[in-house]
Amino acid sequence: MKTLTNMKYILSPILLIILAIYSFAQDCTEYHQFHCLYADYTYFYSRQSKSALFRKGQTSELKIVIYGGEDYYIAVCAHRRFGDLHFKILEDNEDSTLIYDNAEHDYANSVTFTNEVTRDVIIVVSVPGEPEKGKIERRCVGVVIQFRKTKTEKAEPSEKTGFK
Amino acid sequence: MLILLSAFCCKPDRSSYNKSVKFEEDTSRYAQLESKIKEVYYRFPSPDEMFVIIDSIGLQFDNTLLLPTENAGKYLDSKSQALNLGVYIADLAYITLFERYKESVDYLQVIHQLSEKIRIASAFDENLVDRIEKNIRNIDSLRAISDDALTSLINYLVRNDKENTFAIISIGGIIEFYYLALNLVGDYKPENQNIQRIVDQKMAFDNLMKYSYEFSDDPNVSGTLEIVEPLSDFLNNITVVKVKTTITKTEDGRIIVGGGDKLKITEEEYNEFKILVGQIRKKIIEIS
């Protein structure tokens, strides 16, 4: 009995260290910056991008602002053990207008679109599957948001160029 | 391994130990992680993103609008230090918009100094000051440095459960954005698209308010929310023109999101907006 009590005192700090390491491993802050696919260099990174901790079967919402006159690129990513992520983009209005649903596009992990007016949108991200009772599996899920000015069809001014 | 170790180390010396008790212990052990899982996350653009959408062609840089760098040392309490750190971050975004390298260096340094005061300077690369000095004549490098610094600062605050401080910094930043942008575009003209773009930032402001309310049990956050409440009330009374949203696809498959509600501000409201922002900014930057 005494041996068991001593073991408890010896192992408790070890357990705490392991827990601390495990907790650190669960820090998702920068996950999207290093794991999600980015658009090409013409897009700017938006600090509305975010990573968070998810469990299987969980759905979370990211409420962001998208500006008018801008093209947007939105990508999601997670560990492959989470499978294909489901994400939808809804306008945050009375009708919750559906802008995009990746379930209709073979669960593609990114989308680009042009936005004409500034609006609030909700990105709804779901991890497939059911939470398994007693089994704790949490992983990071990332959402990258990028934007660029929408190219207008305006004709360039006809200025004379060159030496002539 | 973790479950095995915990079962061995913490097993109580009694025969009545059962699976349900063990499950509860595991659950409480992970309660801290569980609390990090949320249903809704409010996001809002940073001041540099807000300035990117302002069309700066034909607009004049005015350094008298900026908060003087000497003020930084005079803020003594943590709330005013965090609020004015946000102000300086927005000033840097404004400076970067006009590619002014001399001011960029000064403001990057003051941001670093103020961050040290509120003990968040470890967010930055320890060579930040050296990098600034080495790139003093290169606006692109300075822009990249300030971009990295801001991303690191936000990540640091989120990772270290200092989102209450992040909320205060962001409120300081958005008020300074409004102040600079409204003074930049000048008087009301209905055809001025920049005015519409500034007014549209109401959505970012709303998201920031909802985010900040999550930390309102912190007296510094609730005190900051009190300062900006009149602006919140004002923005909530701006007319919204209802327009149905349309989702269309071009021949090459591009998705176009058109239509949607639009905020409409009158000249009178615009002038009131400018005065209100000026008053709130004055409260934020005043030295107690």
Side-chain angles (χ1 to χ4, degrees), chain B:
Chain B
M1 184 193 167
L2 189 66
I3 306 269
L4 269 174
L5 262 173
S6 61
F8 180 62
C9 144
C10 305
K11 188 175 174 181
D13 185 29
R14 59 177 187 216
S15 55
S16 60
Y17 182 82
N18 59 41
K19 276 185 180 178
S20 69
V21 171
K22 182 181 174 292
F23 179 68
E24 275 172 28
E25 282 177 357
D26 281 343
T27 310
S28 65
R29 195 165 293 139
Y30 290 101
Q32 202 186 345
L33 278 178
E34 193 70 19
S35 70
K36 290 194 173 184
I37 295 178
K38 294 203 287 184
E39 299 303 319
V40 181
Y41 296 87
Y42 291 101
R43 308 299 290 162
F44 41 87
S46 50
D48 55 336
E49 286 174 56
M50 293 178 183
F51 275 114
V52 163
I53 65 143
I54 301 290
D55 186 359
S56 60
I57 297 168
L59 301 176
Q60 291 293 314
F61 177 76
D62 181 357
N63 67 357
T64 63
L65 295 174
L66 302 171
L67 179 62
T69 51
E70 317 67 86
N71 279 30
K74 297 171 187 165
Y75 301 112
L76 301 176
D77 63 292
S78 57
K79 187 180 86 180
S80 61
Q81 285 167 345
L83 267 170
N84 286 286
L85 176 59
V87 170
Y88 284 122
I89 287 170
D91 282 350
L92 179 63
Y94 171 78
I95 289 162
T96 310
L97 184 74
F98 288 96
E99 305 192 342
R100 308 282 294 214
Y101 64 82
K102 165 73 177 71
E103 288 86 352
S104 285
V105 174
D106 296 344
Y107 278 76
L108 261 168
Q109 284 173 336
V110 93
I111 287 167
H112 188 257
Q113 285 162 16
L114 210 43
S115 301
E116 276 179 335
K117 283 195 170 183
I118 47 176
R119 294 176 189 156
I120 55 170
S122 48
F124 301 122
D125 176 358
E126 57 185 27
N127 300 319
L128 179 72
V129 179
D130 284 349
R131 280 176 72 201
I132 296 166
E133 280 164 5
K134 278 180 188 158
N135 292 282
I136 212 153
R137 297 255 163 213
N138 186 338
I139 190 70
D140 288 335
S141 299
L142 286 174
R143 184 180 287 143
I145 293 167
S146 64
D147 203 45
D148 284 355
L150 187 54
T151 303
S152 302
L153 180 67
I154 297 169
N155 287 345
Y156 175 85
L157 293 171
V158 172
R159 190 186 303 115
N160 292 287
D161 290 327
K162 290 177 184 281
E163 287 188 80
N164 47 348
T165 306
F166 180 44
I168 300 170
I169 293 170
S170 302
I171 290 173
I174 202 165
I175 295 300
E176 185 71 352
F177 161 79
Y178 275 136
Y179 175 76
L180 295 169
L182 288 166
N183 280 289
L184 197 62
V185 301
D187 293 335
Y188 179 86
K189 288 186 191 96
E191 71 280 5
N192 189 339
Q193 283 302 304
N194 275 336
I195 290 178
Q196 185 64 48
R197 289 179 187 133
I198 297 167
V199 174
D200 283 346
Q201 300 292 350
K202 173 194 182 292
M203 296 175 201
F205 183 82
D206 285 347
N207 278 9
L208 173 55
M209 289 300 103
K210 285 170 192 162
Y211 174 80
S212 302
Y213 274 113
E214 289 178 12
F215 311 101
S216 57
D217 52 347
D218 173 348
N220 281 347
V221 176
S222 56
T224 303
L225 285 168
E226 263 176 46
I227 297 173
V228 294
E229 205 178 320
L231 181 61
S232 193
D233 294 341
F234 171 81
L235 292 170
N236 284 334
N237 284 318
I238 293 179
T239 309
V240 180
V241 180
K242 295 270 175 197
V243 181
K244 199 170 168 58
T245 302
T246 57
I247 316 291
T248 52
K249 252 187 179 182
T250 59
E251 280 179 8
D252 59 354
R254 198 155 55 110
I255 300 167
I256 312 278
V257 189
D261 297 348
K262 209 169 178 178
L263 294 165
K264 200 169 170 62
I265 195 166
T266 63
E267 184 170 2
E268 199 186 344
E269 284 172 330
Y270 177 76
N271 293 333
E272 194 185 332
F273 183 24
K274 249 177 126 171
I275 293 166
L276 192 52
V277 166
Q279 288 168 345
I280 293 170
R281 198 244 188 195
K282 199 177 165 198
K283 268 191 194 168
I284 288 173
I285 66 163
E286 74 189 357
I287 298 151
S288 50

